[in-house]
Amino acid sequence: QAQLVESGGGWVQPGGSLRLSCAASGFTFKDYAIDWYRQAPGKERELVARIPSAGGGTNYADSVKGRFFVSRDNAKKTSYLQMNSLEPEDTARYYCNALYTDYWGQGTQVTVSS
């Protein structure tokens, strides 16, 4: 069955970096754009980044532009979210989704604090 699994989260100090992974199985990964979302307690879910199926034309939320970079490796059926210059405001649970599907993972927690 179709599945997405996020990994790579953890605790980092402000200014640090993390790379999140979104591993897909059970569907034709290369045919779908991949969205990265985040949600913090008490806040609405926010679309952070989008990468088309072919990998070009990426989009980013203004809050992360220049700091976060999304990529994908269709041969490995995996999307990556490189997160640099992390700030406490980036603390959230991060999810990936295949666009226009109900294919979601369980998320991975990112905590940025001193």
Side-chain angles (χ1 to χ4, degrees):
Q1 298 297 318
Q3 186 176 20
L4 294 170
V5 179
E6 301 93 340
S7 63
W11 174 87
V12 294
Q13 293 185 319
S17 297
L18 286 173
R19 189 179 76 158
L20 307 183
S21 297
C22 172
S25 62
F27 68 101
T28 309
F29 178 79
K30 68 179 179 62
D31 290 342
Y32 293 87
I34 297 296
D35 286 351
W36 283 90
Y37 290 87
R38 66 185 181 187
Q39 187 165 30
K43 296 185 178 180
E44 295 186 359
R45 187 175 62 188
E46 177 186 20
L47 178 62
V48 173
R50 171 175 290 169
I51 183 166
S53 60
T58 55
N59 294 311
Y60 300 93
D62 288 342
S63 58
V64 307
K65 195 170 298 181
R67 300 188 297 120
F68 290 12
F69 302 91
V70 63
S71 62
R72 66 190 296 159
D73 185 337
N74 285 341
K76 295 182 178 180
K77 299 181 179 180
T78 302
S79 176
Y80 305 94
L81 185 66
Q82 179 67 45
M83 310 164 66
N84 301 319
S85 301
L86 285 163
E87 304 167 354
E89 293 74 19
D90 297 317
T91 295
R93 193 163 187 88
Y94 285 72
Y95 302 85
C96 59
N97 168 244
L99 193 64
Y100 305 130
T101 76
D102 290 326
Y103 306 159
W104 294 84
Q106 294 294 103
T108 186
Q109 179 68 35
V110 172
T111 302
V112 185
S113 70
S114 300

